[in-house]
Amino acid sequence: MPVLTPEQEQIGKDNFSGAVHAMNSANVNRREMIKAAAAGGLGLGAAFAGYRELKGEPVRVGFIGTGDEGNILLSEHPPEYMDVVAIADLRPSNRERAMIGDGNEHRVGLINKLGADKAGKIQVFDSHKAMLDKAKDLKLEAVVIATPLMTHAPIALDCMSAGLHVLTEKLMARTIPQCKEMIRTARDNNLLLAVGHQRHYSVLYDNANNLVQNGLLGDLKHIRAQWHRNNSFPAGDSWRKGTPGADRGLKADNLKGFGFEDVNQLVNWRLYNKTGGGLMAELGSHQMDACSIFLGKVHPVAVSGFGGKNFYGIPGVGPKDKWDDDREIDDQIFVTFEFPGAQYAENDRDKCIVTYSSINTNKFEPYGEIVYGTRGTLFMKTEKEAMLWKEDGRGSVGGGPDQRLWVISGSAAGGGPVMEAYETTSGPKVETGGTDWASNVSRGYTEEMEHFCYAIRNQGPDYWPGGQPISPKEGGLRCNGIVAMADAIMALTANIAMDKQQRIEFNADWFDPDSDACPEEAFGVEI
């Protein structure tokens, strides 16, 4: 990610806001969406994602998994659309945490979110199975699943078998055969299956993608994504957690019924191959999803890369508390994806290369994605900020991080929009329509849950016309099971490529939910 001065970042944000305002103003549909949202009191997320205010009673929902991610979802859940009537978690500490939160804005707890009276009426269970036993009494309609990766598919299948719609956290499942079974089960039971890749519901990413799809950046040949952290300090590791006292009484024999060998594996599930999917599944899948959005959700051609456990568990490397670390997942990964370019069908050399890295030993640069186009550069920073700069070129005023710009419609070859730069870094005030389009703080969690509930009420009986889910373009879920399976295929195939140390070409049948073909079978991976 670029190292920029505060002034350069502000110029980039101003450029992005101005470009978004110009493009939204020029596009009749987007302009009318924004007006309708303002008139109807809806948030911009509803306008851009194509849903409306919920008519009728909120959907009765149970939350399964109330740990780190589950608590964020509980804090972000929309009461006007979603009535939380039950929670379930194997860990007593998480059940308590769901009620009282962490004392910060990200995990406020249900008591602070809903009030003590409402929160006190929510039924609490020690497993999803116990919740499902009471599903009829609770009048449950849907569940939100935010449990360890290994359990996503088993829990989702149990819930769909009970007739419940499912929104599960990403990665969709631990294996691709599980993804396909989830899609088939949802279709056979006429149920909605959504997956929590929340960038699909981010107004920030929607506007950024609109700029890309309208050609403002020119031709895309490279996207660089990363999620770097530094867990190298003594007793410093965000994924290595101690077992709270409230959880120490959990019996291994009981946990084995849910797939866990012991309490440590339940608490630290991200560190083991059986229970998690490593850095690529937990972090990289988000960003590969974002990159594929910018590239039109086309499937990649091939992937290669390096991954290694080369910091943890190596005597003499790092502080002593890291020397005997028993994690199984890689602590550094570097992958390269080859995506087809616009002319790939006619010329297989036309590709866009996407690189991704995730490391645990340095966080100098923030996580995010940089989209490099022939006419401009887009920087998506930590999901919350967007910056845009023009390329310097012959016949145009210079670009770069110090240059302010504006958008001229219909000036490019073919009538598309182009960016022009001011001669000085000061320039006139950027016209944004009064909206800071570059710093939308919503990450899409609330919007994905709103749309999920809206779709249940308005699309539920007819969600699978012709055996396919209603497409996002027609107002269907933006990240349905088929969309999410493609993200899982990218992440899990990257893991195989790193393990096998070879370039792997993607097979079109892997992306077909009705085909049994999968990357695990193709490369002899035990599942």
Side-chain angles (χ1 to χ4, degrees):
M1 303 295 109
V3 179
L4 301 164
T5 67
E7 293 78 13
Q8 289 171 330
E9 288 204 357
Q10 189 58 54
I11 288 171
K13 293 177 187 177
D14 291 345
N15 290 342
F16 181 85
S17 283
V20 168
H21 174 64
M23 297 295 286
N24 286 343
S25 297
N27 184 307
V28 174
N29 291 333
R30 293 177 76 85
R31 186 170 68 241
E32 293 307 312
M33 278 194 313
I34 296 168
K35 288 182 179 179
L42 293 172
L44 285 173
F48 284 103
Y51 60 92
R52 295 290 181 266
E53 181 181 355
L54 191 69
K55 303 298 183 184
E57 294 296 315
V59 177
R60 295 175 67 83
V61 176
F63 271 70
I64 302 171
T66 58
D68 289 347
E69 193 72 4
N71 254 289
I72 290 176
L73 292 168
L74 284 171
S75 296
E76 297 280 351
H77 91 269
E80 299 83 3
Y81 291 75
M82 180 178 282
D83 183 11
V84 180
V85 298
I87 62 171
D89 198 295
L90 295 174
R91 298 173 57 183
S93 65
N94 279 348
R95 299 196 293 269
E96 179 182 15
R97 188 182 181 191
M99 291 296 171
I100 65 175
D102 287 352
N104 59 48
E105 63 178 331
H106 304 294
R107 301 178 180 92
V108 301
L110 287 167
I111 292 174
N112 291 319
K113 172 82 174 182
L114 302 174
D117 289 344
K118 170 63 176 173
K121 296 175 183 176
I122 296 173
Q123 294 201 34
V124 181
F125 298 92
D126 61 5
S127 74
H128 80 280
K129 294 179 180 179
M131 177 189 286
L132 292 180
D133 286 342
K134 297 291 184 180
K136 290 185 178 180
D137 294 338
L138 293 166
K139 298 180 181 178
L140 271 183
E141 299 175 83
V143 295
V144 174
I145 300 170
T147 56
L149 173 57
M150 174 188 66
T151 65
H152 286 182
I155 293 175
L157 292 169
D158 284 348
C159 292
M160 287 189 285
S161 295
L164 303 177
H165 303 285
V166 168
L167 166 57
T168 183
E169 259 305 314
K170 59 83 202 153
L171 204 60
M172 182 177 175
R174 182 64 187 82
T175 72
I176 302 309
Q178 287 178 330
C179 292
K180 296 190 176 189
E181 184 179 5
M182 291 166 68
I183 294 169
R184 295 168 185 174
T185 301
R187 181 178 58 195
D188 293 345
N189 291 277
N190 197 31
L191 295 167
L192 276 71
L193 173 61
V195 181
H197 288 284
Q198 73 271 5
R199 283 173 173 81
H200 286 271
Y201 289 94
S202 164
V203 173
L204 189 73
Y205 276 83
D206 191 283
N207 279 312
N209 190 43
N210 185 48
L211 300 184
V212 172
Q213 299 308 319
N214 276 283
L216 200 64
L217 271 65
D219 294 316
L220 305 187
K221 290 303 170 190
H222 179 41
I223 302 178
R224 180 161 66 98
Q226 67 179 42
W227 198 316
H228 293 177
R229 302 173 301 168
N230 194 335
N231 294 324
S232 68
F233 297 96
D237 183 355
S238 58
W239 279 11
R240 169 70 69 183
K241 302 178 184 295
T243 302
D247 298 341
R248 291 174 189 163
L250 291 170
K251 303 298 183 184
D253 287 345
N254 293 334
L255 294 178
K256 287 179 181 178
F258 297 93
F260 301 96
E261 294 299 319
D262 52 33
V263 177
N264 174 63
Q265 195 178 69
L266 171 63
V267 173
N268 291 304
W269 60 272
R270 288 184 176 91
L271 304 181
Y272 305 106
N273 291 327
K274 173 187 175 182
T275 48
L279 294 169
M280 198 65 223
E282 289 301 308
L283 303 179
S285 63
H286 275 303
Q287 296 186 273
M288 292 312 304
D289 180 58
C291 293
S292 66
I293 288 173
F294 292 137
L295 294 173
K297 294 305 291 183
V298 294
H299 297 153
V301 175
V303 62
S304 56
F306 167 82
K309 183 182 172 187
N310 52 26
F311 178 77
Y312 291 99
I314 303 176
V317 176
K320 285 187 177 181
D321 70 320
K322 306 293 189 291
W323 294 2
D324 60 355
D325 189 280
D326 70 343
R327 76 187 58 209
E328 297 169 350
I329 63 164
D330 294 339
D331 51 47
Q332 323 283 323
I333 64 171
F334 310 87
V335 296
T336 300
F337 285 85
E338 303 166 33
F339 278 86
Q343 305 303 319
Y344 179 77
E346 293 76 28
N347 181 357
D348 62 9
R349 301 289 291 178
D350 180 23
K351 295 179 183 178
C352 179
I353 304 302
V354 177
T355 60
Y356 178 75
S357 61
S358 183
I359 63 177
N360 275 275
T361 53
N362 187 287
K363 63 173 183 179
F364 182 73
E365 297 175 302
Y367 80 85
E369 306 89 35
I370 303 184
V371 184
Y372 297 91
T374 55
R375 295 295 179 266
T377 302
L378 174 69
F379 178 20
M380 307 300 293
K381 180 181 177 183
T382 64
E383 299 180 67
K384 294 183 179 181
E385 298 175 314
M387 299 165 225
L388 177 68
W389 299 279
K390 174 185 174 295
E391 280 289 285
D392 187 7
R394 293 175 109 184
S396 68
V397 178
D402 295 308
Q403 203 79 57
R404 296 186 183 275
L405 60 84
W406 79 96
V407 174
I408 300 177
S409 299
S411 296
V418 298
M419 293 182 283
E420 291 293 350
Y422 295 116
E423 293 185 359
T424 67
T425 57
S426 57
K429 180 176 176 59
V430 175
E431 177 57 48
T432 66
T435 302
D436 178 9
W437 294 106
S439 302
N440 188 301
V441 296
S442 173
R443 295 169 63 191
Y445 289 114
T446 298
E447 293 81 0
E448 73 180 2
M449 287 185 277
E450 287 180 346
H451 194 202
F452 176 59
C453 293
Y454 178 85
I456 289 172
R457 285 282 179 265
N458 293 276
Q459 301 170 358
D462 304 301
Y463 185 70
W464 290 89
Q468 295 293 319
I470 297 174
S471 72
K473 290 183 179 179
E474 296 173 331
L477 297 172
R478 287 198 160 193
C479 193
N480 59 44
I482 295 174
V483 172
M485 182 174 69
D487 294 322
I489 291 170
M490 286 190 286
L492 298 177
T493 305
N495 281 345
I496 296 173
M498 289 186 283
D499 181 60
K500 302 293 185 181
Q501 298 187 41
Q502 68 180 87
R503 176 181 178 271
I504 293 177
E505 294 186 359
F506 289 88
N507 183 335
D509 289 339
W510 298 349
F511 297 90
D512 180 359
D514 291 317
S515 169
D516 290 333
C518 63
E520 293 94 339
E521 180 185 47
F523 291 90
V525 176
E526 184 177 350
I527 57 177

